[in-house]
Amino acid sequence: MAFLDHIDACNRHDLNRFRPFIVGGRQVGWVRGDIAWHLEEYEAVFAVTPDAVHLQRHLSEPEARSQAVDQVCRALHAKWQTPPLRGERYRVARTWGEEPVMTMDRGVVSLFGVRAFGVHVNGFVRDGERLKLWVAKRAPERAVAPGKLDNLIAGGQPAHLSLRDNLIKEAAEEADVPAALAQTARPVGVISYCVEDQWGLKPDVMFCYDLELPPDFTPRNTDGEVESFALMEVDEVMARIRDTQDFKANVNLVILDFLIRHGVLCPDNEPDYAAIAHGLKRGW
Amino acid sequence: MAFLDHIDACNRHDLNRFRPFIVGGRQVGWVRGDIAWHLEEYEAVFAVTPDAVHLQRHLSEPEARSQAVDQVCRALHAKWQTPPLRGERYRVARTWGEEPVMTMDRGVVSLFGVRAFGVHVNGFVRDGERLKLWVAKRAPERAVAPGKLDNLIAGGQPAHLSLRDNLIKEAAEEADVPAALAQTARPVGVISYCVEDQWGLKPDVMFCYDLELPPDFTPRNTDGEVESFALMEVDEVMARIRDTQDFKANVNLVILDFLIRHGVLCPDNEPDYAAIAHGLKRGW
């Protein structure tokens, strides 16, 4: 294992297997060939060509687009066991700052290869000059990455919230962090990657935050998604990232960014330093 | 002006005008067509084809390569007024961690489009929750960017030094920062860009550092390269970057990285946030 292996693992994809997904004349995602084939049947909603999957032009309003796609996805799930809707809406847009062309259920964004946004928070404690990181262990029954190590707080970005409000909501649910404390989290940058999952493509953008916690604060999970928390020496975290796959795949990237920004990973000691720093932005 | 304009300005180039520069069978740079034409004359050193410029294979050792290229560059300068040698050696390698294939004089790295490395240090002071940045004003007689605003400390990376030792050397020369204080500078990441200059291509990689300074420290230039220093509110620095071209072109990028890492630029307020963060790594 090496640090760069985690970056490679989060960027495995072959766009030759995908067709652009186009809404209102603009590409906002990618659809895998076999999924495009399933979509041909729903020609009131999709115009499928050998080169692209278009949302039909008569669907010109965000609300109508969102409802039509939901309906197809429910039918696909019933017929082909594609993922079910999960009841949480994501924005569909190329960038976070752009006006979304529609929303889409969280469960099916990879079917359409739509960019998903999220917030990740490294919770840390200072011990003199040394840093410690609060690390969550995901519950064993979670659908994604059961039992893997995770950031203190992380969550996908619902359509209707600001990033800051989402962070405060997730902080309460996942780690029982009071709003006033969560409010002190500092935005520190953004990471991106692009990986294939079972159904399609995940071109993800993660907004990263640092949250310095008082030494007497202990996180406590309130929504059942975390089995336990541990406060780890930053050097131990770095060694486990380098040598193991204990962390959820994309969390390795968020922590590598932390290690670089805090001078734990150093350019005079790590030959891959610049490649790692650049690799954290590969999926753009 | 917008933040992204500075990133665009540091990434203007057209590789169609360049040919790969190949040493020992590996590409380590780019030579512009008209320079390649000048090099044809020196066939003991260069093998120029329509597709590439090769260093002749009989030059198999780093020292012999370096001397042969220096000699050609002196002749080119005499005949065509290309830049003179400056007496400072840079490593020639694709990445910092790689074994260099030769060294090259600082004055001519853009003629061969070789990746140049440097260190840039943001010197800052805490004023409660607010940050202030020490900003240098370059001397009016400097060859590059006279009178422009600059980081507290910055310098190209000589072949024979570690990044840390170069930082300490530059800190003493440019800002009279004692070694013990310079030693506390924290590596915080890396920035890259790729821009054409008058003679060729600059694919630059800048290792960035944060140096927190005590409130009673005042920098003082010792090598004549800086006219004056000013301690600026971080919000003023951000506004001058957004609205003016007062800063040396690549320094805008180093400070944008600082503003992102310290939460001064925020993703909920800046629509281009993710594009800026990614733009700081474009020249890789």
Side-chain angles (χ1 to χ4, degrees):
Chain A
M1 291 291 300
F3 294 124
L4 286 174
D5 293 339
H6 295 296
I7 293 171
D8 289 341
C10 285
N11 285 285
R12 282 194 196 113
H13 64 268
D14 175 6
L15 286 183
N16 291 323
R17 304 166 62 201
F18 290 81
R19 305 182 204 180
F21 173 50
I22 294 169
V23 177
R26 300 193 53 208
Q27 184 184 356
V28 293
W30 295 92
V31 179
R32 209 170 59 201
D34 58 318
I35 303 294
W37 184 84
H38 291 330
L39 296 178
E40 282 183 11
E41 195 177 324
Y42 305 92
E43 48 190 43
V45 181
F46 296 103
V48 179
T49 73
D51 297 329
V53 174
H54 294 261
L55 198 70
Q56 290 286 11
R57 288 190 173 270
H58 70 86
L59 296 165
S60 58
E61 293 303 317
E63 185 56 32
R65 291 166 173 166
S66 308
Q67 288 184 12
V69 171
D70 278 7
Q71 210 170 343
V72 171
C73 287
R74 281 193 207 95
L76 282 180
H77 172 62
K79 194 167 173 183
W80 302 102
Q81 289 78 55
T82 56
L85 304 193
R86 291 169 60 172
E88 188 177 332
R89 310 301 302 176
Y90 276 13
R91 303 181 186 199
V92 176
R94 296 276 294 188
T95 67
W96 178 251
E98 227 172 71
E99 192 61 31
V101 295
M102 58 184 287
T103 66
M104 188 176 280
D105 189 275
R106 175 181 189 159
V108 297
V109 287
S110 83
L111 274 179
F112 295 91
V114 156
R115 186 166 267 170
F117 302 90
V119 295
H120 277 250
V121 182
N122 274 303
F124 72 100
V125 176
R126 284 188 204 278
D127 181 6
E129 281 295 288
R130 302 168 66 89
L131 299 175
K132 296 182 177 180
L133 272 170
W134 276 107
V135 172
K137 182 170 187 176
R138 297 164 67 87
E141 66 277 11
R142 290 199 73 168
V144 175
K148 291 279 187 180
L149 302 182
D150 203 343
N151 289 123
L152 176 68
I153 303 159
Q157 182 59 36
H160 61 289
L161 287 180
S162 71
L163 295 165
R164 173 68 65 182
D165 289 343
N166 187 33
L167 187 161
I168 290 170
K169 175 182 84 71
E170 293 284 348
E173 291 172 4
E174 297 200 346
D176 201 21
V177 178
L181 182 54
Q183 187 67 49
T184 65
R186 189 170 76 176
V188 289
V190 62
I191 279 174
S192 60
Y193 59 89
C194 185
V195 67
E196 288 190 37
D197 74 0
Q198 192 188 349
W199 293 103
L201 195 69
K202 290 168 61 61
D204 286 358
V205 170
M206 299 186 289
F207 295 98
C208 301
Y209 293 76
D210 280 359
L211 175 58
E212 182 169 355
L213 294 163
D216 60 355
F217 174 81
T218 302
R220 189 179 63 90
N221 181 246
T222 68
D223 64 3
E225 296 188 357
V226 175
E227 180 187 283
S228 60
F229 290 100
L231 186 60
M232 289 188 198
E233 298 283 350
V234 77
D235 289 341
E236 185 195 335
V237 173
M238 181 156 69
R240 286 183 75 166
I241 287 182
R242 189 185 56 229
D243 301 331
T244 78
Q245 309 211 34
D246 293 347
F247 281 89
K248 181 168 175 276
N250 60 355
V251 171
N252 289 292
L253 276 50
V254 180
I255 297 179
L256 281 169
D257 177 68
F258 181 91
L259 298 175
I260 288 173
R261 287 185 294 97
H262 287 271
V264 183
L265 257 179
C266 296
D268 274 323
N269 305 337
E270 172 52 56
D272 292 333
Y273 185 81
I276 296 167
H278 284 83
L280 300 176
K281 319 271 179 186
R282 264 174 61 185
W284 188 248
Chain B
M1 290 294 299
F3 294 123
L4 286 175
D5 293 339
H6 294 297
I7 293 171
D8 289 339
C10 285
N11 286 282
R12 282 193 196 114
H13 64 268
D14 175 6
L15 286 184
N16 290 323
R17 305 166 62 201
F18 290 81
R19 306 183 205 179
F21 173 49
I22 294 169
V23 177
R26 300 192 55 207
Q27 184 183 356
V28 294
W30 295 92
V31 179
R32 209 169 60 201
D34 58 319
I35 303 294
W37 184 84
H38 291 330
L39 296 180
E40 281 183 12
E41 195 177 323
Y42 305 93
E43 48 190 41
V45 181
F46 296 103
V48 179
T49 72
D51 297 329
V53 173
H54 294 260
L55 198 70
Q56 290 287 12
R57 286 189 174 271
H58 70 85
L59 296 165
S60 58
E61 293 303 317
E63 185 56 33
R65 290 166 174 167
S66 309
Q67 287 184 14
V69 170
D70 277 7
Q71 208 171 343
V72 171
C73 287
R74 280 192 207 97
L76 282 180
H77 172 64
K79 192 165 175 186
W80 302 102
Q81 289 77 55
T82 56
L85 304 193
R86 292 169 60 174
E88 188 177 331
R89 310 301 301 176
Y90 275 14
R91 302 181 187 200
V92 176
R94 296 276 294 187
T95 67
W96 177 250
E98 227 172 70
E99 193 60 32
V101 294
M102 59 183 286
T103 66
M104 188 176 280
D105 189 276
R106 176 182 188 158
V108 296
V109 286
S110 84
L111 274 180
F112 295 92
V114 155
R115 185 166 268 169
F117 301 90
V119 296
H120 278 251
V121 182
N122 274 302
F124 73 101
V125 176
R126 285 188 203 278
D127 182 7
E129 281 296 290
R130 304 167 64 90
L131 298 175
K132 296 181 176 178
L133 272 170
W134 276 107
V135 172
K137 183 170 186 174
R138 297 165 66 86
E141 66 277 10
R142 289 199 73 167
V144 175
K148 291 279 187 180
L149 302 182
D150 203 343
N151 289 123
L152 176 67
I153 302 159
Q157 182 59 37
H160 61 290
L161 286 181
S162 70
L163 295 165
R164 173 68 65 182
D165 289 343
N166 187 32
L167 187 162
I168 291 171
K169 175 182 83 73
E170 294 284 348
E173 291 171 5
E174 297 201 346
D176 201 21
V177 178
L181 182 54
Q183 187 66 49
T184 65
R186 190 171 74 178
V188 289
V190 61
I191 279 174
S192 60
Y193 59 89
C194 185
V195 68
E196 288 189 38
D197 74 0
Q198 193 189 345
W199 293 104
L201 196 69
K202 289 169 60 61
D204 285 358
V205 168
M206 300 185 290
F207 294 98
C208 301
Y209 294 76
D210 279 0
L211 174 59
E212 182 169 355
L213 294 163
D216 60 357
F217 173 81
T218 302
R220 189 180 64 91
N221 181 246
T222 68
D223 64 2
E225 296 189 358
V226 175
E227 179 186 284
S228 60
F229 290 100
L231 186 61
M232 289 189 197
E233 298 282 350
V234 76
D235 289 342
E236 185 196 336
V237 173
M238 182 156 69
R240 286 183 75 167
I241 287 180
R242 189 184 57 228
D243 301 331
T244 78
Q245 308 209 37
D246 293 347
F247 281 89
K248 180 167 177 277
N250 61 355
V251 171
N252 289 291
L253 276 49
V254 180
I255 298 179
L256 282 168
D257 177 69
F258 181 91
L259 298 174
I260 287 174
R261 288 185 293 97
H262 287 271
V264 183
L265 257 179
C266 295
D268 274 324
N269 305 337
E270 172 52 56
D272 292 332
Y273 185 81
I276 296 166
H278 284 82
L280 301 177
K281 319 270 178 185
R282 265 173 61 186
W284 188 247

